[in-house]
């Protein structure tokens, strides 16, 4: 299929111009700016010596700008068609230039517009999410063909100039995992061969993430192997959402930085608006305690909830995808519980955990996960479970069956990804988005 910008239907501006990429001004970006201002105020208050001209004072004060009326400047006279064309260029300060200076300034501005700009491309993994991110950034998706030949081989072709551009590829490696992964690898290779200045891959869902260590003899560490494939193709940066294990960031070399975004920050606003009674954040396993703790701290910080509890479920697996026994560590009596996990696959573990919590005296049980795979009977299990509500992000494309599930709520991660892309392109902080 062709990922053409015209299919978006949003009336976006052309991304050929560097200045067209706009700040999405999402809640995450606004909070990050407030954090920076707070830290600057704190540094100012800690300084004892007088500060004559602080360089960061304009960031802290939002005063009315002083308007100084200047006398009108005479219009420059164009003596030739070429000079007249240069004068007509909207360049700041060009009214005080000679025709030759205006022509040179116009040529410089044109070179800047067509060099080092941002380009956004997408595979077939999650086109709806890619279009939403493009709309927030105010750019078009790049024109590219990503399809399959008759024998199943992947066909990739880029239909616009990317030489010297800062390119971002949005492609989750969700089912069909191997097809989406091969599309991503070939797109990275294609863009590098087309002389892109930097290639950043945005992977909302990182496939093969659960195979991150050797649990038995003669098995691969697939998460590391996928990282080596991406690195060998020439990826310059990776943006992911809630990696299954944080150590996956270490599978990439030091020349490929990895930004592991916390999807829980999207769910905090959703659950913060609910009237929860004695809320308790529950981790479905020992490895997710840190994620549950961060979710608890986010709710406590943003909404001032100081009475949030935390609990953990210890599960013993009979085999992959099957749980033999579950034990609860913590008290959930007369509490509203939120099970926080990174992904929901077949939902067997989640539904069984909800039953355990209800049996232990929980009033209501909610669930939040960044990635809703819902393989096989997953969607039906959630619909027939004791869960009050199951919240997921749109890192994986939705289906009509999911939309029909009344217990399933899908939140958009596009604002967080769009703000992250803009901050990286503008060389701003990423960690400030999560403070």
């Amino acid at each position: 299929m062709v990922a053409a910008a015209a299919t978006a239907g949003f009336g976006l501006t052309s991304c050929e111009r560097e200045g067209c990429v706009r700040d999405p001004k999402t809640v995450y970006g606004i909070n990050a700016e407030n954090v920076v201002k707070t830290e600057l105020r704190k540094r100012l208050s800690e300084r004892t010596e007088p500060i004559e001209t602080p360089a960061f004072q304009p960031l802290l004060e939002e005063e009315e700008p002083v308007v100084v009326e200047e006398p009108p400047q005479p219009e420059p006279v164009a003596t030739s068609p070429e000079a007249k064309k240069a004068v007509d260029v909207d360049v700041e300060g060009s009214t005080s230039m000679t025709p030759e200076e205006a022509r040179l300034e116009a040529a410089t501005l044109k070179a800047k517009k067509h060099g080092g700009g941002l380009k956004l491309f997408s595979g077939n993994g999650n086109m709806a999410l890619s279009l939403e991110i493009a709309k927030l950034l105010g750019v078009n998706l790049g024109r590219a063909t990503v399809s399959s030949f008759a024998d199943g081989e992947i066909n990739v072709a880029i239909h616009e100039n990317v030489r010297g551009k800062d390119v971002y590829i949005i492609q989750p490696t969700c089912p069909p995992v191997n097809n989406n992964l091969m599309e991503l690898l070939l797109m990275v290779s294609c863009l590098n061969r087309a002389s892109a200045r930097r290639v950043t891959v945005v992977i909302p869902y990182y496939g093969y993430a659960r195979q991150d260590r050797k649990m038995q003899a003669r098995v691969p560490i697939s998460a590391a192997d996928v990282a080596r494939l991406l690195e060998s193709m020439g990826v310059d940066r990776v943006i992911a959402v809630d990696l299954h294990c944080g150590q996956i960031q270490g599978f990439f070399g030091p020349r490929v930085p990895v930004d592991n975004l916390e999807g829980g920050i999207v769910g905090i606003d959703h659950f913060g608006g609910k009237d929860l009674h004695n809320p308790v954040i529950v981790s479905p396993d020992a490895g997710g305690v840190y994620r549950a703790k961060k979710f608890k701290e986010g709710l406590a910080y943003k909404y001032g909830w100081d009475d949030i509890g935390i609990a953990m479920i210890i599960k013993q697996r009979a085999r992959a995808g099957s749980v033999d026994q579950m034990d609860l560590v913590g008290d959930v009596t007369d509490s509203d519980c939120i099970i926080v996990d990174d992904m929901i696959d077949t939902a067997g573990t989640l539904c069984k955990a909800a039953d355990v919590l209800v049996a232990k005296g929980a009033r209501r049980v909610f669930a939040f996960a960044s990635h809703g795979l819902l393989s096989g009977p997953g969607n039906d299990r959630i619909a027939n479970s004791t869960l009050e509500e199951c919240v997921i992000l749109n890192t994986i494309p939705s289906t009509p069956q999911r939309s029909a599930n009344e217990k399933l709520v899908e939140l958009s991660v596009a604002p967080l990804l769009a703000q992250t892309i803009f901050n990286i392109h503008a060389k701003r902080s990423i960690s400030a988005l999560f403070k």
Side-chain angles (χ1 to χ4, degrees):
M1 63 180 293
V2 178
T7 61
F10 296 125
L12 306 179
T13 56
S14 172
C15 61
E16 275 292 320
R17 297 173 55 196
E18 183 178 11
C20 286
V21 182
R22 64 168 181 258
D23 188 348
K25 290 294 182 181
T26 62
V27 63
Y28 314 107
I30 295 173
N31 290 339
E33 291 178 1
N34 294 334
V35 167
V36 172
K37 291 180 181 180
T38 303
E39 291 180 353
L40 291 178
R41 289 192 182 96
K42 184 178 179 181
R43 293 179 187 177
L44 270 178
S45 62
E46 291 176 352
R47 298 192 62 154
T48 57
E49 66 275 10
I51 304 175
E52 296 181 358
T53 56
F56 41 81
Q57 192 69 22
L59 294 175
L60 305 179
E61 300 179 357
E62 297 181 358
E63 301 179 349
E64 290 293 332
V66 179
V67 180
V68 180
E69 295 185 359
E70 298 181 355
Q73 298 291 333
E75 294 291 335
V77 179
T79 57
S80 65
E82 184 179 1
K84 184 177 181 180
K85 184 178 180 181
V87 170
D88 290 338
V89 178
D90 185 15
V91 181
E92 184 178 356
S94 62
T95 55
S96 60
M97 297 180 184
T98 64
E100 182 64 20
E101 290 174 340
R103 186 185 64 80
L104 293 175
E105 186 71 17
T108 303
L109 182 61
K110 182 178 179 181
K112 287 182 178 179
K113 287 179 179 179
H114 292 272
L118 181 145
K119 291 283 188 178
L120 205 63
F121 289 91
S122 174
N124 296 322
N126 196 340
M127 184 60 67
L129 177 62
S130 302
L131 291 171
E132 190 175 353
I133 294 173
K135 180 182 179 182
L136 290 170
L137 289 172
V139 300
N140 291 337
L141 282 180
R143 298 188 299 274
T145 297
V146 184
S147 59
S148 299
F149 291 109
D151 59 353
E153 295 178 0
I154 304 298
N155 173 36
V156 175
I158 306 298
H159 301 305
E160 58 185 80
N161 178 33
V162 295
R163 186 179 300 275
K165 304 295 183 180
D166 192 4
V167 181
Y168 293 81
I169 306 173
I170 304 171
Q171 175 77 339
T173 52
C174 54
V177 181
N178 296 330
N179 282 358
N180 288 331
L181 178 59
M182 185 56 65
E183 285 182 7
L184 178 60
L185 293 174
L186 292 181
M187 289 185 74
V188 172
S189 174
C190 181
L191 290 167
N192 275 320
R193 295 175 189 272
S195 302
R197 183 175 68 90
R198 184 173 65 174
V199 178
T200 301
V201 292
V202 182
I203 310 177
Y205 172 72
Y206 187 97
Y208 288 102
R210 284 175 283 184
Q211 302 179 43
D212 59 344
R213 60 191 181 278
K214 291 187 67 173
M215 297 297 294
Q216 59 186 10
R218 297 176 295 278
V219 294
I221 305 178
S222 304
D225 297 333
V226 170
R228 291 173 65 94
L229 284 171
L230 288 170
E231 194 170 2
S232 64
M233 286 292 101
V235 168
D236 294 294
R237 193 182 193 97
V238 176
I239 302 173
V241 178
D242 260 342
L243 291 171
H244 185 65
C245 292
Q247 63 262 28
I248 294 177
Q249 300 172 73
F251 294 156
F252 293 87
R255 296 185 178 180
V256 183
V258 180
D259 296 303
N260 184 23
L261 308 182
E262 299 172 8
I265 192 175
V266 183
I268 286 175
D269 292 331
H270 177 79
F271 287 101
K274 293 182 176 294
D275 185 18
L276 299 180
H277 176 74
N278 295 333
V280 176
I281 311 301
V282 182
S283 172
D285 51 41
V289 173
Y290 176 76
R291 185 180 296 107
K293 184 181 177 182
K294 293 286 288 184
F295 197 88
K296 170 191 171 183
E297 292 173 351
L299 284 173
Y301 175 79
K302 190 164 186 179
Y303 295 96
W305 296 353
D306 298 328
D307 58 343
I308 305 178
I310 191 166
M312 178 184 69
I313 291 178
I314 300 176
K315 56 188 179 184
Q316 300 179 12
R317 288 189 180 274
R319 60 183 181 276
S322 176
V323 177
D324 186 34
Q325 181 180 348
M326 282 188 172
D327 299 312
L328 177 65
V329 178
D331 185 19
V332 297
T333 305
D334 194 33
S335 299
D336 288 338
C337 300
I338 304 175
I339 303 175
V340 178
D341 206 354
D342 64 316
M343 70 173 68
I344 302 173
D345 192 359
T346 59
T349 302
L350 177 65
C351 295
K352 192 169 183 179
D355 294 338
V356 170
L357 293 174
V358 172
K360 295 294 184 179
R363 294 175 71 250
R364 295 183 297 175
V365 181
F366 301 87
F368 172 80
S370 297
H371 314 296
L373 292 170
L374 303 184
S375 307
N379 189 57
D380 294 334
R381 284 176 175 174
I382 290 176
N384 301 322
S385 68
T386 57
L387 287 169
E388 187 80 11
E389 186 180 71
C390 181
V391 181
I392 59 175
L393 304 183
N394 61 342
T395 57
I396 295 172
S398 183
T399 60
Q401 292 78 13
R402 296 187 190 185
S403 302
N405 190 343
E406 296 181 354
K407 291 187 177 182
L408 203 61
V409 176
E410 188 175 84
L411 305 179
S412 177
V413 75
L416 178 60
L417 288 173
Q419 190 69 57
T420 301
I421 291 173
F422 177 82
N423 282 19
I424 291 175
H425 186 65
K427 299 178 177 62
R428 295 183 182 179
S429 172
I430 300 298
S431 59
L433 299 177
F434 303 95
K435 292 184 179 179

